[in-house]
Amino acid sequence: MVRAAPAERQKKIPVVVHAPDPILREGAISQLRRHPEVDLVDEATPHDDGVALLLAESLDQALLSRLRRLVRSEGLRSVLVISLIREAELLDVIESGVGAIVWRHEATSSRLLRAVTAAFHGDGDLPSDLLGRLMNQVGMLRPGAVANPAAQTSHLTPREINVLRLVSEGMDTNEIAEKLSYSERTIKNIMQGLTTRLNLRNRAHAVAYALREGYIS
């Protein structure tokens, strides 16, 4: 029996690139094409198990609506490559379901791959400077405003708090598993259970919730 090579068995990450400027879009596609683990998908091709990478100069209502549609209606994970996010807009971006954010001036081939991979695996990836801005924005909200009003009010467990604290420090699943001496599957299960129970969009949204409710600081 002929066995498939490891590279053939590894699932590629479907990625569809959205941009208002065709030249900008082709530039991102060209960078991602360098990576064999990425499967570039045309916008017109139906897909519900991949990553949507959106490029923009700044946020507007149309872009926010598109992000929500891609995540909530089409079931895609999303990466936002953007030049400017105002502090007041940051929580809206996170609550729309964005899994990773990349500054356009940092959007190298390797940086885009890291963000796409993180979003695809549910790890999330935010620039370090956005965390402080997120804390400022969350701090201005009333208690409970980050979570969906219909979410359950159950408290976070010590294990969930430990995981979220490390997520807020920028660690990925593997690093958190090593730090806490858990398996990667356990960390993923903890995060999935937490986000499902509290009706949160993703890890960044969960961190925002934990910050606002005082579980982490």
Side-chain angles (χ1 to χ4, degrees):
M1 177 172 52
V2 178
R3 295 186 178 181
E8 295 175 332
R9 291 197 303 266
Q10 183 179 4
K11 182 178 179 180
K12 289 190 173 185
I13 302 174
V15 178
V16 56
V17 178
H18 300 265
D21 182 352
I23 296 178
L24 186 62
R25 179 175 180 272
E26 287 303 315
I29 289 175
S30 176
Q31 295 210 53
L32 289 171
R33 192 176 284 127
R34 303 175 188 177
H35 303 286
E37 54 267 64
V38 171
D39 179 20
L40 289 163
V41 181
D42 189 83
E43 291 184 52
T45 303
H47 53 285
D48 58 2
D49 184 29
V51 176
L53 187 144
L54 293 89
L55 299 101
E57 185 65 30
S58 59
L59 188 73
D60 57 24
Q61 193 57 48
L63 177 60
L64 195 58
S65 297
R66 192 173 195 182
L67 284 168
R68 288 171 176 157
R69 176 177 57 79
L70 289 168
V71 174
R72 301 178 189 181
S73 300
E74 300 186 20
L76 295 172
R77 300 165 181 86
S78 62
V79 173
L80 178 62
V81 182
I82 197 164
S83 297
L84 172 68
I85 297 180
R86 298 175 183 86
E87 192 166 296
E89 300 169 333
L90 182 55
L91 190 58
D92 286 335
V93 171
I94 290 173
E95 290 186 321
S96 73
V98 171
I101 298 174
V102 178
W103 294 125
R104 276 185 55 180
H105 69 273
E106 296 178 350
T108 62
S109 176
S110 59
R111 183 68 185 85
L112 290 178
L113 177 65
R114 191 181 90 188
V116 164
T117 302
F120 183 70
H121 292 293
D123 286 338
D125 187 0
L126 297 180
S128 58
D129 60 309
L130 282 185
L131 182 58
R133 292 168 58 184
L134 176 61
M135 293 174 68
N136 290 336
Q137 176 63 16
V138 169
M140 293 186 293
L141 299 175
R142 65 185 185 278
V146 174
N148 187 293
Q152 299 180 24
T153 58
S154 53
H155 295 292
L156 299 183
T157 68
R159 187 165 69 165
E160 290 171 338
I161 294 170
N162 286 337
V163 170
L164 281 175
R165 183 178 292 110
L166 296 178
V167 171
S168 73
E169 294 174 4
M171 292 189 182
D172 60 23
T173 300
N174 180 61
E175 291 170 330
I176 295 171
E178 290 185 358
K179 180 76 172 180
L180 299 180
S181 299
Y182 294 149
S183 69
E184 290 187 43
R185 180 175 295 277
T186 295
I187 300 302
K188 290 179 179 179
N189 288 341
I190 291 171
M191 288 304 306
Q192 183 177 0
L194 167 65
T195 54
T196 299
R197 188 175 80 250
L198 297 177
N199 199 21
L200 302 170
R201 295 290 173 193
N202 51 36
R203 292 189 178 199
H205 197 189
V207 168
Y209 172 86
L211 286 167
R212 181 60 189 93
E213 298 302 320
Y215 288 107
I216 61 177
S217 60

